[in-house]
Amino acid sequence: MTTTTQRGSVRLTQYAHGGGCACKIPPGELEEIVAGLTGRTPVAGRGADLLVGLDSGDDAAVVRLPGGAGAAAVVATADFFTPVVDDPYDWGRIAAANALSDVYAMGGSPLVAVNLLAWPREVLPLALAREVLRGGLDIAAEAGCHVAGGHSVDDPEPKYGMAVTGVADPARLLRNDAGRPGMPLSLTKPLGLGVLNNRHKATGEVFPEAVRTMVTLNRDAAEAALAGSAVCATDVTGFGLLGHLYKLARASGVTAVVHASAVAVLDGAREAARDGYVSGGTRRNLAWVAPHTDFGSTSELTRLLLADAQTSGGLLVAGEVPGAPVIGELVPEREHRLIVR
């Protein structure tokens, strides 16, 4: 089901060069930027307290609080992006859910967030910025997470997100380097958000199912994963399913097999991809993983959807999650890091 943006309303997506997590710096370029910065901690003698840092490219940083082996851990992350939809309230909700997702992807619970807002104050009404912040506040409230201020700048391009701090049990983290052969792979949200958002930006069509998917917290999925004794997970955002799965498989020293027919896709997404509403970020994702992937006979359309740059996507869990389809499994390391069938 689609609707059309009301004529005469401000179309926020037209003020951004891209949209949502598709605006991420491409994964290959990002790894080049941070090369040589991994494995370092600025706190002398406290290296063991940094449980998850930059080394494996995980979703958030995790630091053990002082107090010994039984102490809790702090989860810290930040995420922001340009408008992914035209409705300011929905953009705020989506951006907040996306930022909170990194905490859930580590097995943590968010405690407090601060807003990150960039706004072209002489171009767009400040009332729209207030709606963006209201959307973020409502999603944080749903998550039981405080919002306490933040930071704003005057910027030619609107951007919004949150820096989030959470807590986790260091003995029950969900890490992207803890995958082992024999673990099934579950995906808790359907794919296709990128191509639908790109179609929305180009045409003004509104896709309510995509919005509902993006504003849905990954809290329940994370709790279900932990209840099932999962130890390995990541969330699927701007690098697409294949990009995030590649990082997980590489960090874990395994190969991941994906059964493409088992991967759920949002209504209208295949048509949007077929009609050419594919972001540059998605194509860069596919180019990044292609040398490490055995695609077999899968079509170009399927490959693009599997690499589709998601915004506030689901959790990819090495384990079974009730209600989520099993889309593949981890196997011992082979010639290719990913196998798509």
Side-chain angles (χ1 to χ4, degrees):
M1 175 183 176
T2 67
T3 59
T4 303
T5 302
Q6 185 177 1
R7 186 170 297 177
S9 61
V10 174
R11 295 205 57 208
L12 286 173
T13 57
Q14 304 309 295
Y15 292 84
H17 74 282
C21 290
C23 286
K24 280 187 173 183
I25 292 176
E29 293 180 20
L30 184 60
E31 291 192 343
E32 182 178 345
I33 292 170
V34 302
L37 301 178
T38 60
R40 299 170 60 184
T41 176
V43 183
R46 294 277 306 278
D49 295 337
L50 183 64
L51 303 180
V52 180
L54 196 58
D55 297 50
S56 66
D58 218 325
D59 297 296
V62 183
V63 180
R64 191 194 309 273
L65 290 170
V74 169
V75 183
T77 184
D79 210 311
F80 63 97
F81 46 67
T82 55
V84 68
V85 293
D86 290 323
D87 185 281
Y89 177 72
D90 283 344
W91 175 33
R93 294 198 295 157
I94 292 164
N98 183 75
L100 292 164
S101 179
D102 284 340
V103 175
Y104 296 130
M106 301 303 303
S109 299
L111 284 181
V112 62
V114 292
N115 291 306
L116 305 173
L117 178 68
W119 200 257
R121 44 181 288 276
E122 295 185 354
V123 177
L124 290 174
L126 296 179
L128 294 182
R130 186 180 188 280
E131 281 298 287
V132 175
L133 295 175
R134 186 171 71 89
L137 185 62
D138 283 354
I139 285 294
E142 181 182 338
C145 178
H146 298 288
V147 178
H151 184 67
S152 62
V153 295
D154 187 349
D155 192 296
E157 189 175 53
K159 303 175 184 73
Y160 174 65
M162 288 179 164
V164 186
T165 301
V167 292
D169 181 345
R172 301 184 69 223
L173 294 176
L174 298 173
R175 304 175 56 124
N176 73 351
D177 62 356
R180 298 295 179 263
M183 291 180 172
L185 292 169
S186 300
L187 182 62
T188 66
K189 289 184 183 180
L191 299 183
L193 293 165
V195 290
L196 291 177
N197 288 337
N198 215 32
R199 187 163 201 153
H200 169 67
K201 176 179 171 64
T203 69
E205 295 175 83
V206 178
F207 299 93
E209 183 186 8
V211 173
R212 284 193 297 271
T213 299
M214 289 186 285
V215 302
T216 298
L217 294 172
N218 280 327
R219 174 184 55 199
D220 293 348
E223 290 176 354
L226 290 171
S229 299
V231 295
C232 178
T234 188
D235 64 347
V236 179
T237 55
F239 299 155
L241 171 63
L242 293 182
H244 289 284
L245 182 55
Y246 170 66
K247 291 177 65 177
L248 183 153
R250 184 180 60 180
S252 298
V254 298
T255 286
V257 179
V258 176
H259 305 295
S261 62
V263 179
V265 176
L266 287 163
D267 290 344
R270 292 186 185 280
E271 292 77 10
R274 180 200 62 204
D275 293 343
Y277 295 102
V278 178
S279 69
T282 291
R283 295 190 185 279
R284 290 189 291 269
N285 290 341
L286 186 56
W288 185 55
V289 300
H292 314 285
T293 305
D294 174 3
F295 281 106
S297 61
T298 55
S299 68
E300 179 71 8
L301 179 64
T302 296
R303 298 179 191 190
L304 286 169
L305 286 170
L306 293 176
D308 189 39
Q310 305 298 280
T311 297
S312 193
L315 294 188
L316 175 63
V317 180
E320 293 194 35
V321 178
V326 172
I327 64 163
E329 61 275 342
L330 300 179
V331 299
E333 187 174 6
R334 299 181 185 175
E335 177 184 357
H336 291 92
R337 192 65 72 183
L338 303 178
I339 299 172
V340 180
R341 293 290 182 261

